[in-house]
Amino acid sequence: MIKAAGYCGNMDLADKVYEEGLTNYSKNEFLHNKFIIMAGRNNCFDLAKKAYRNALESGIDSKKIYCSIITAAGMNGKFEVALEAYRLAEKNGKLDFITHCAMICAAGKNKKNNMAYALYLEVANKKPTLELHSAIMDILVRNGDFEKATTIYKNNLKQIKLKILAANVYDYGYDYKIDLHGYSYGSAYIALKEYLKECLATNIIPNILIVTGKRVDSKKTKDDDATAAIKEAVKNLHKEFKSFFDFSEVENNSGCFVLSKTKAPISISTYTLSESKNAPVAASIPEVDDWTQILTPEPIPPKWSPKATSSLANKYKSHQPQVKSIDDKKVKTPDAEEGWSTMRGRKGKK
Amino acid sequence: MPELKELSKKIELIDYEKHILAKKSLFQLLKTLTVLPNSPIIYHQVIAKLVMTDIGGNKANMLYKTLFKWQEERHAELIDLSIHNHMIVFAGHNNDLDLAEEAYLNAKDYIKRNPNETHDVIKTYTMMIDALKNIDNLNRAYEVFLDAKESGHVDVFIL
């Protein structure tokens, strides 16, 4: 109920239900956590802080609570509170890579880019993950620091490089498929841009299906924040590369784009790769209410099948930089690792 | 029943992430459903898979409606609470308030008829609130919450 009220923007009702819940469930992490997330999302930071204090006073000392308050504080410009919670989590041994990501994002949103970068370097040396790279690349790209973001991309290809999957035989008409689940605006932008540059350099432009997030029927449902950010990245890349590529939305599923060679008679060899000058910078960092939202488990890609490619794909198969098989595509998610399941989406557990 | 077990295993193996493959397999299964024994478990599995594949959603809805007909014809209980719950979730994802209300009413009816089956009851309320959240109908969601409180089916997750 708190979640429903929070999503509909009615924090008074959410607060009422939360206060009622305290009678019987004051020691339950779920109650406080949900409320902190919703209060943060609705810019009611005082309420979030109240629930955070309640949780601490009830003896709840969990990674989830720290992560949620850091995210909420980051979203609401309360960097000091985020830092305080982060230090307390560190002192109590409750830091994990999700909390690090939350802190990096909080720092980025509050214009503490150097601190975000320093923290990233510290953590990435110990445990580099796609999420960590995504978080820092998002901050860098949104601030126009494409060079540093590209360096991170090139130094961490193992985690960030796009997996170009063989299209399933049922994905009619496409040669390959790129799945951007788990990417942020920044990491999707840089990874996709580097791939497009590779295509231009080799003069090979296959017909590719780009999956930006969960399936969205624009007539019925709205994008979640993670999908919206990736779509923004794809659309901005389109602006930059529109002379060479066509990006079109898949009918009845605005979560997917089709990338193909433009029909305009332009010679690819004339293209000069201008780095950051023309690259559009996103207006703002989207709000993310919990980490499972941007760290959605990736769907298992279809196995390679000789029948699965069209003649065009066969023609270009030998030129493809990387065609990954099913086993290559395993990204750990908080759901899988921490059991942080949420009620969001079809994969969430109640 | 070995055949039933086989079928159940087959359904579980369908990977819902491979949407179109799942659709094909499920639709093949649907053809055989008319001659299936009276087992709500199988229908529950099929509906769950159809709902998860997105594209099978309309088929799930059709099957849900057909099950009521088969129930009458076969004089057997084919729909359990989890089937109603799945339809509530499906309705929420598709902004279909009418279907959500229909499934919720059916679920409540089922709960009334089977007061000893407490399993999944809280889920019904939780899922209905979640579905109504998706449909942006907060007032109705609060009514369902009050319903749950009144019936004594409240836990921390419904909060």
Side-chain angles (χ1 to χ4, degrees), chain A residues 137 139-150 190 276 281:
Chain A
M137 284 171 77
I139 294 166
L140 293 171
V141 171
R142 284 176 189 279
N143 284 291
D145 197 344
F146 295 95
E147 205 175 307
K148 217 180 226 176
T150 309
I190 296 289
S276 58
V281 179

Side-chain angles (χ1 to χ4, degrees), chain B residues 62-77:
Chain B
M62 273 165 59
L63 178 59
Y64 182 59
K65 302 236 155 85
T66 312
L67 283 177
F68 285 96
K69 207 176 96 190
W70 287 350
Q71 244 180 191
E72 273 181 32
E73 285 171 8
R74 298 183 195 180
H75 304 289
E77 190 98 65

Side-chain angles (χ1 to χ4, degrees), chain A residues 65-311:
Chain A
I65 295 284
Y66 289 121
C67 187
S68 300
I69 191 69
I70 290 170
T71 308
M75 278 178 183
N76 289 279
K78 306 284 181 190
F79 183 69
E80 302 74 31
V81 181
L83 196 60
E84 186 192 313
Y86 181 75
R87 285 185 181 142
L88 188 60
E90 192 175 21
K91 189 178 145 198
N92 295 346
K94 301 290 176 186
L95 285 185
D96 64 357
F97 82 99
I98 304 172
T99 323
H100 288 307
C101 279
M103 193 59 211
I104 289 171
C105 285
K109 281 179 188 174
N110 288 276
K111 306 283 173 214
K112 312 273 183 196
N113 295 351
N114 290 339
M115 188 186 170
Y117 192 65
L119 183 59
Y120 160 77
L121 288 178
E122 188 190 321
V123 183
N125 282 336
K126 292 176 202 157
K127 193 182 176 186
T129 59
L130 169 64
E131 294 77 21
L132 208 57
H133 301 313
S134 281
I136 194 66
M137 284 171 77
D138 200 40
I139 294 166
L140 293 171
V141 171
R142 284 176 189 279
N143 284 291
D145 197 344
F146 295 95
E147 205 175 307
K148 217 180 226 176
T150 309
T151 310
I152 290 177
Y153 171 78
K154 286 183 176 162
N155 291 342
N156 299 282
L157 284 179
K158 202 177 166 193
Q159 278 102 6
I160 318 171
K161 195 165 185 181
L162 296 174
K163 309 285 187 291
I164 315 295
L165 307 161
N168 193 290
V169 70
Y170 295 105
D171 293 333
Y172 306 103
Y174 311 118
D175 302 317
Y176 296 101
K177 186 156 72 176
I178 291 175
D179 193 335
L180 293 173
H181 279 98
Y183 285 77
S184 63
Y185 170 84
S187 57
Y189 184 89
I190 296 289
L192 205 51
K193 184 178 177 178
E194 290 301 310
Y195 175 68
L196 295 181
K197 279 159 70 177
E198 250 176 68
C199 288
L200 288 175
T202 52
N203 213 345
I204 295 168
I205 304 176
N207 204 14
I208 289 186
L209 180 70
I210 300 174
V211 182
T212 58
K214 70 172 188 181
R215 181 191 165 84
V216 175
D217 183 340
S218 48
K219 285 177 197 155
K220 290 177 180 170
T221 43
K222 288 178 275 183
D223 283 333
D224 59 34
D225 295 339
T227 308
I230 297 171
K231 277 169 79 170
E232 193 188 352
V234 174
K235 283 176 180 170
N236 281 342
L237 274 168
H238 182 207
K239 282 180 200 160
E240 205 179 335
F241 286 84
K242 66 182 169 192
S243 313
F244 309 99
F245 299 99
D246 273 338
F247 290 77
S248 49
E249 277 187 10
V250 174
E251 200 180 344
N252 293 329
N253 185 357
S254 63
C256 289
F257 289 87
V258 179
L259 183 150
S260 55
K261 191 175 177 176
T262 182
K263 290 177 182 74
I266 294 170
S267 165
I268 286 169
S269 57
T270 59
Y271 179 69
T272 49
L273 297 168
S274 55
E275 280 303 325
S276 58
K277 284 176 194 167
N278 300 326
V281 179
S284 63
I285 297 172
E287 292 183 349
V288 177
D289 71 327
D290 63 13
W291 284 94
T292 49
Q293 196 178 331
I294 59 163
L295 309 175
T296 319
E298 290 183 73
I300 301 166
K303 279 180 182 167
W304 171 267
S305 149
K307 283 188 285 181
T309 51
S310 69
S311 57

Side-chain angles (χ1 to χ4, degrees), chain B residues 77-90:
Chain B
E77 190 98 65
L78 297 181
I79 313 172
D80 61 12
L81 192 55
S82 58
I83 293 181
H84 297 306
N85 288 349
H86 272 294
M87 291 316 292
I88 291 173
V89 173
F90 170 67

Side-chain angles (χ1 to χ4, degrees), chain A residues 1-2 20 220 346-347, chain B residues 17 54 95 149 158-159:
Chain A
M1 193 61 228
I2 291 171
E20 273 178 35
K220 290 177 180 170
R346 285 177 177 74
K347 292 173 193 104
Chain B
E17 293 293 359
D54 282 332
N95 269 9
K149 269 173 70 174
I158 208 168
L159 292 172

